[in-house]
Amino acid sequence: MAALLADMAGDHPGRPVLVASNVPGAGGLRRAAEAGVPVAAVDHRGLSRQAFEAALLEPLRAARPDVVCLAGFMRVLTPEFVAAFAGRMINIHPSLLPKYPGLHTHARALAAGDAEAGCSVHEVTADLDAGPVLGQARVPVLPGDTEGMLAGRVLQAEHRLYPAVLRRFAAGDRTPVMI
Ligand code: NHR
């Protein structure tokens, strides 16, 4: 998220209108507020999925975004929520999709003995981590890698990939970015 904000601080087809989180006190909310971007927090705890999404939709709709970017967002979204932003909501996922949708991607890549790992930006559809891929960045898996070491290497790639994809997507170009 911070990498996207930093990229949008320069010449860019988009501008940030809201940073929202389901984690009150999340570091990203403070960083966004420091950068002068409006923020919203909706704690999902104690709410049903429907009630959580209804509460999240209020500030989101009010901000009138053209594009919604998920970054580290860990709540599965209902088809109804996805439909509200159909074709204009994207996510970055820490694997080379279609490999390893869902959770624990780095542990799964290591357990499989993969020589390569990476991250994907994809359109968010009702099917989890299954929407069209808009970009991928690859990194090597190195001998002796732990889950944490691989996760750190992939995160660096995420910080390069997501701004590159958003630039293209915000300009109306859905050609995949492959780096
Ligand atoms: N929602 C839809 N409809 N489609 C996608 O492609 C989505 C989505 C919501 C989040 C991000 C995804 C990821 O990048 C994402 C993509 C969380 C889970 C999950 O199982 C799965 C995929 C992703 C994020 N969440 C659990 C839940 O019950 C909670 C897990 C937890 O809190 O640790 O929501 O990886």
Side-chain angles (χ1 to χ4, degrees):
M1 184 282 295
L4 296 180
L5 289 191
D7 198 45
M8 281 187 275
D11 178 38
H12 197 283
R15 65 192 162 84
V17 293
L18 179 72
V19 171
S21 176
N22 63 306
V23 182
L29 292 172
R30 182 180 47 76
R31 295 176 73 167
E34 282 169 5
V37 179
V39 296
V42 178
D43 196 341
H44 65 278
R45 289 172 300 182
L47 298 181
S48 69
R49 219 171 270 277
Q50 281 72 18
F52 164 64
E53 290 187 352
L56 184 60
L57 269 175
E58 282 189 33
L60 208 43
R61 283 196 197 280
R64 304 184 61 80
D66 295 309
V67 177
V68 176
C69 298
L70 307 186
F73 185 74
M74 295 308 291
R75 312 303 305 168
V76 173
L77 296 166
T78 64
E80 293 72 29
F81 190 96
V82 172
F85 303 103
R88 52 202 188 92
M89 180 154 59
I90 63 180
N91 175 51
I92 188 157
H93 178 77
S95 78
L96 295 171
L97 291 170
K99 268 197 168 178
Y100 315 131
L103 307 178
H104 312 300
T105 56
H106 308 302
R108 289 154 73 195
L110 289 175
D114 292 352
E116 219 176 26
C119 50
S120 307
V121 175
H122 64 93
E123 184 186 322
V124 175
T125 61
D127 290 342
L128 214 51
D129 297 331
V133 169
L134 298 164
Q136 289 189 318
R138 321 179 86 84
V139 302
V141 178
L142 299 179
D145 260 356
T146 62
E147 199 178 336
M149 291 160 69
L150 181 55
R153 196 174 307 123
V154 172
L155 185 61
Q156 290 189 346
E158 291 181 42
H159 292 158
R160 291 196 309 274
L161 179 67
Y162 211 170
V165 173
L166 180 60
R167 262 181 190 273
R168 205 174 263 197
F169 191 78
D173 182 353
R174 301 173 58 103
T175 315
V177 177
M178 294 297 182
I179 56 181

